[in-house]
Amino acid sequence: MAPQLKDELDIVIPTIRNLDFLEMWRPFFLPYHLIIVQDGDPSKTIKVPEGFDYELYNRNDINRILGPRASCISFKDSACRCFGYMVSKKKYIYTIDDDCFVAKDPSGKDIDALAQHIKNLLCPSTPLFFNTLYDPFADGADFVRGYPFSLREGVPTAVSHGLWLNIPDYDAPTQLVKPRERNSRYVDAVMTIPKGTLFPMCGMNLAFDRDLIGPAMYFGLMGDGQPIGRYDDMWAGWCIKVICDHLGLGVKTGLPYIWHSKASNPFVNLKKEYNGIFWQEDIIPFFQAVTLPKDCDTVQKCYVALSQQVKDKLGKVDPYFTKLADAMVTWIDAWDTLNPGSKATANGIAKGK
Amino acid sequence: MSLEIQDSEFDIVIAALQPNLTTFFEAWRPFFSRFHIIVVKDPDLDEELQIPTGFDVKVYTKSDMGVLGDTSINFSGHSCRYFGYLVSRKKYVISIDDNCLPAKDNGGLIVDAVSQHMSNLKTPATPFFFNTLYDPFRKGADFVRGYPFSLREGVECMLSCGLWLHNADYDPMTHVVKRNQRNTTYVDAVMTVPLGAMMPVSGINVAFNREVLGPVMFPGLRLRKDGKHRWDTLEDIWNGLCAKVVCDRLGYGVKTGLPYVIRSDVEAGQALESLKEWEGVKVMDDVLPFFQSVKLSTTATTVEDCVKELASIVKEKLGPQNAIFARAADAMEEWTKLWESHGAQSS
């Protein structure tokens, strides 16, 4: 069977080291186009394993392509990966970290994470009522008794959030307290995150429909020169969920699993996360209370409206958020410049390409 | 972090819709034998119940229900178990349908559904933010990066909803269309149902804090052709929606997932007969939007207050649409009276 969506999906990989991990993914990734976003020193050469079809962007490329708007793309943080989302010309994106490998399912079989993400994206979501048997479209499952028939068509899926075996995605304090904990529990389910519920979105193993939600997948200002790190994917996750809820799109979490091999240094992480740990106490209530105007019927309109609210409400918490709100607008500007004529509408159908 | 719960604080309530419970009790013996068990016989069942010895069992029948006097609550069929909730004197109740047996987990080990429910009720629920590794209090798991620290204490879990392997809890339409489908996927997770999210609670395999939630655990909604098969009913679905609204209002948690039981498919082929007059096709389309938008006042600070308020809103908003909703509102009000006079005490 031909690899699904091979001409419609790009794999975006941020890296500062090397791409050796791609060797293990070769059987699954080879048919797809890769977008490598090289963080850090642009004079370093990142070797891409033989045979892959890719384009690679380093900091010089980002500056050249975006000009002054390059200020919205983080440096020395994997948040820079969102540049890859912007330059992609495909409908779907799969992003994965360079320390994530192929995991095995309980039967010992290698997990084709990309195929599962594609399945998740191509099947509807069900955010309006929680199905107790999880994904009703999975083989062997269905909607349970009591599930309204009018809701069984579901809504389009914008995001597929995968999980990790081995090193779990813990924050620095938890890593320090539980340095030996490993996630060995394979939970055989995909589920839709209910409308109105926020979640911590991890960018290690993530796929999304660029046409439906791409402009909201900005990973924020992190890393060099910024007071915060390791909250890039979190920020994007809160933004996309609020917008998906507003536009009637679905977000799934669960399968597929990848094998996360590297635990980053918890002391370094603590320094990066420090502000985030305190700020999230204000950020979460902010996102929980956000309402977007009814006339925001495109992702871009939603995102710009959101940035205004970030400036008004979170700007009081720290000046960083004022900068971030401006960067959100710069991002949309840059996105629209690089992707002219592409605006996703409220019912999830992209107008033009 | 977790509560201390003793075995003596639990009652197991079993609704007997079939007379011969020998296989059922023998299979559950390792897990039931240390508990007090209430068996409530369906008032429409004529035959004598067969229950093996060696259990601490009290059987309630139609004549025992007479103690309630003249009541509008219909305890026939699956609704008979609610009588058990009323007469129990324990803090917690676990209830499993009489056609369900212990399941095996992915490792081939028999699941102690009772212990799992106890564990779900003992450990906090986390309704304010979704944890992507599911229950953070399970061994080998925790809150993930990005989970606010102020939300990590969680709230007390009042309702634990388990699942079913083999014969899943489907509506009759799905049973007919997918007559050969069996649920074989054991999803090794417990999770909290988020604040504001609604879900269909199946009464087949549940446990709850009776002391707190008792007033909202009622048989309210009866379809005109309520029958003996689970797919002929929506009483538990209605019950669960009411319970969720109340839990959300009062800051209590609801969990779903483990434990699994294995449910027999003895009746599965009979779904076609139920389709002819199955009112349930349209009912949920009216019911769900109501529950999603209902707002209980801040002055409702107890479960009883919430139920009374909810009953009057149901009467006002849903009652005019369909007589079954008006009757459900009446049943809810009746239940709060019954709970006050017969149910409230715990020992």
Side-chain angles (χ1 to χ4, degrees):
Chain A
M1 198 179 84
Q4 270 195 301
L5 303 183
K6 89 174 167 64
D7 297 320
E8 296 175 73
L9 183 144
D10 276 338
I11 302 178
V12 171
I13 305 166
T15 187
I16 197 162
R17 298 173 275 251
N18 60 64
L19 294 167
D20 296 346
F21 86 117
L22 280 177
E23 277 309 329
M24 201 188 184
W25 288 103
R26 191 180 279 276
F28 308 111
F29 286 6
L30 201 60
Y32 297 89
H33 181 70
L34 312 180
I35 296 180
I36 317 287
V37 183
Q38 179 184 339
D39 197 14
D41 183 1
S43 66
K44 179 173 173 195
T45 309
I46 301 279
K47 207 168 145 305
V48 182
E50 201 64 47
F52 284 98
D53 168 40
Y54 71 95
E55 53 197 281
L56 187 147
Y57 299 92
N58 61 30
R59 192 71 209 184
N60 294 339
D61 300 312
I62 294 171
N63 290 339
R64 173 179 50 84
I65 291 168
L66 293 184
R69 296 195 189 98
S71 59
C72 73
I73 304 295
S74 303
F75 185 60
K76 295 297 271 297
D77 192 289
S78 65
C80 65
R81 75 176 80 208
C82 63
F83 178 77
Y85 310 159
M86 194 194 280
V87 298
S88 165
K89 298 282 168 274
K90 304 285 172 60
K91 180 163 164 60
Y92 301 98
I93 297 282
Y94 174 45
T95 186
I96 184 172
D97 278 13
D98 62 9
D99 60 354
C100 293
F101 293 82
V102 178
K104 286 197 195 298
D105 71 17
S107 75
K109 187 163 160 256
D110 280 351
I111 299 170
D112 183 350
L114 183 52
Q116 180 66 53
H117 275 299
I118 289 171
K119 209 168 163 179
N120 294 347
L121 289 172
L122 294 181
C123 263
S125 294
T126 52
L128 300 175
F129 199 44
F130 188 86
N131 192 45
T132 47
L133 280 189
Y134 314 110
D135 182 3
F137 302 104
D139 279 328
D142 212 301
F143 291 96
V144 298
R145 177 173 56 98
Y147 208 102
F149 283 86
S150 64
L151 295 183
R152 296 193 187 199
E153 244 184 80
V155 301
T157 302
V159 179
S160 167
H161 176 263
L163 296 174
W164 350 272
L165 290 171
N166 195 40
I167 309 286
D169 188 23
Y170 288 158
D171 52 63
T174 311
Q175 272 184 290
L176 286 162
V177 169
K178 294 181 162 192
R180 293 170 72 91
E181 184 146 280
R182 298 290 177 266
N183 185 22
S184 55
R185 185 173 292 125
Y186 184 93
V187 178
D188 190 4
V190 181
M191 64 199 76
T192 300
I193 300 181
K195 180 176 176 179
T197 300
L198 293 174
F199 77 113
M201 186 177 84
C202 173
M204 264 197 261
N205 174 21
L206 182 72
F208 59 93
D209 185 321
R210 214 174 138 273
D211 283 353
L212 289 182
I213 199 64
M217 275 291 185
Y218 173 47
F219 271 37
L221 290 173
M222 305 277 149
D224 230 40
Q226 306 300 342
I228 186 173
R230 282 172 57 87
Y231 271 84
D232 52 336
D233 42 5
M234 297 297 138
W235 182 262
W238 300 323
C239 291
I240 60 99
K241 188 56 167 61
V242 160
I243 293 175
C244 282
D245 285 352
H246 177 81
L247 294 178
L249 301 171
V251 175
K252 292 183 180 174
T253 187
L255 303 179
Y257 282 90
I258 47 85
W259 180 270
H260 184 211
S261 70
K262 258 194 82 173
S264 35
N265 185 309
F267 298 99
V268 170
N269 289 346
L270 186 57
K271 281 207 193 120
K272 290 182 182 174
E273 291 172 11
Y274 186 77
N275 282 324
I277 287 174
F278 293 96
W279 289 346
Q280 72 192 4
E281 298 297 336
D282 289 304
I283 296 172
I284 299 305
F286 163 76
F287 278 102
Q288 281 170 336
V290 154
T291 49
L292 296 170
K294 273 200 171 62
D295 61 356
C296 288
D297 59 354
T298 67
V299 177
Q300 286 91 331
K301 282 186 197 164
C302 289
Y303 202 71
V304 169
L306 189 54
S307 75
Q308 278 157 10
Q309 295 189 44
V310 167
K311 188 173 262 186
D312 292 338
K313 305 216 168 81
L314 290 178
K316 299 184 188 124
V317 173
D318 192 276
Y320 166 76
F321 291 103
T322 306
K323 254 180 43 177
L324 179 58
D326 289 339
M328 288 167 77
V329 174
T330 306
W331 159 267
I332 293 293
D333 240 352
W335 181 284
D336 283 344
T337 306
L338 259 57
N339 300 283
S342 143
K343 292 210 189 296
T345 60
N347 62 4
I349 299 166
K351 277 207 286 225
K353 270 268 187 259
Chain B
M1 192 77 339
S2 58
L3 305 169
E4 282 306 308
I5 300 185
Q6 313 292 337
D7 290 351
S8 56
E9 294 179 274
F10 272 88
D11 258 340
I12 298 182
V13 172
I14 306 295
L17 269 71
Q18 55 181 322
N20 192 343
L21 299 175
T22 312
T23 313
F24 175 83
F25 272 95
E26 287 303 347
W28 283 104
R29 188 182 286 277
F31 312 114
F32 279 13
S33 57
R34 64 189 202 273
F35 295 96
H36 178 251
I37 304 170
I38 291 174
V39 172
V40 186
K41 187 176 164 192
D42 179 1
D44 300 333
L45 188 63
D46 291 321
E47 295 123 283
E48 280 296 308
L49 293 185
Q50 292 171 58
I51 299 172
T53 54
F55 292 94
D56 174 17
V57 169
K58 179 133 172 59
V59 179
Y60 293 85
T61 63
K62 190 171 171 179
S63 59
D64 295 302
M65 293 175 190
V67 74
L68 299 179
D70 215 356
T71 175
S72 56
I73 302 257
N74 186 340
F75 286 106
S76 79
H78 286 286
S79 293
C80 68
R81 71 162 58 178
Y82 295 93
F83 183 77
Y85 299 170
L86 211 47
V87 298
S88 164
R89 288 294 170 258
K90 298 293 168 73
K91 184 170 178 190
Y92 302 96
V93 163
I94 294 172
S95 193
I96 295 175
D97 274 11
D98 66 4
N99 61 353
C100 296
L101 300 181
K104 283 203 173 119
D105 67 16
N106 287 325
L109 291 174
I110 300 186
V111 172
D112 181 351
V114 178
S115 289
Q116 182 64 55
H117 274 304
M118 285 171 84
S119 169
N120 293 348
L121 293 171
K122 262 192 333 191
T123 53
T126 51
F128 305 115
F129 203 63
F130 189 88
N131 194 44
T132 48
L133 281 188
Y134 314 110
D135 183 359
F137 300 102
R138 271 187 97 190
K139 200 158 180 289
D142 212 306
F143 291 97
V144 297
R145 174 175 58 98
Y147 204 106
F149 281 83
S150 65
L151 299 181
R152 295 192 188 197
E153 236 184 270
V155 297
E156 196 176 340
C157 178
M158 291 297 170
L159 178 59
S160 164
C161 309
L163 294 172
W164 350 268
L165 290 173
H166 196 63
N167 185 14
D169 191 11
Y170 292 142
D171 60 76
M173 213 94 71
T174 310
H175 270 298
V176 166
V177 170
K178 294 194 168 183
R179 57 192 155 281
N180 295 318
Q181 181 161 292
R182 296 293 178 268
N183 184 23
T184 54
T185 304
Y186 183 98
V187 178
D188 189 7
V190 186
M191 63 199 78
T192 299
V193 185
L195 177 74
M198 293 294 129
M199 66 173 236
V201 172
S202 165
I204 293 173
N205 172 18
V206 288
F208 61 97
N209 181 323
R210 186 194 153 275
E211 206 171 68
V212 172
L213 230 50
V216 76
M217 298 302 283
F218 47 64
L221 187 73
R222 273 196 98 86
L223 298 178
R224 266 168 270 259
K225 279 257 167 184
D226 223 62
K228 301 302 180 198
H229 302 293
R230 270 291 179 194
W231 63 62
D232 289 323
T233 69
L234 283 176
E235 119 285 313
D236 47 355
I237 308 295
W238 177 269
N239 171 205
L241 291 169
C242 293
K244 183 60 166 58
V245 164
V246 172
C247 284
D248 281 354
R249 166 71 195 86
L250 298 179
Y252 297 133
V254 175
K255 291 184 186 175
T256 186
L258 303 181
Y260 279 88
V261 294
I262 188 156
R263 186 167 173 252
S264 81
D265 58 5
V266 162
E267 38 166 59
Q270 296 164 27
L272 194 52
E273 298 162 27
S274 298
L275 274 188
K276 193 165 150 228
E277 303 210 40
W278 192 56
E279 194 170 9
V281 182
K282 286 295 294 163
V283 164
M284 286 308 298
D285 284 300
D286 296 323
V287 166
L288 183 58
F290 168 78
F291 280 98
Q292 282 170 332
S293 61
V294 80
K295 287 211 167 18
L296 298 176
S297 63
T298 46
T299 52
T301 54
T302 64
V303 176
E304 291 89 338
D305 286 346
C306 289
V307 173
K308 285 181 187 147
E309 189 180 335
L310 194 52
S312 73
I313 305 174
V314 167
K315 188 166 266 176
E316 189 198 318
K317 297 252 157 70
L318 281 182
Q321 290 179 41
N322 192 326
I324 62 172
F325 298 132
R327 283 197 283 273
D330 289 338
M332 288 163 74
E333 280 164 0
E334 173 71 2
W335 182 263
T336 50
K337 294 196 194 103
L338 287 180
W339 190 264
E340 229 168 298
S341 55
H342 291 89
Q345 315 90 305
S346 279
S347 57

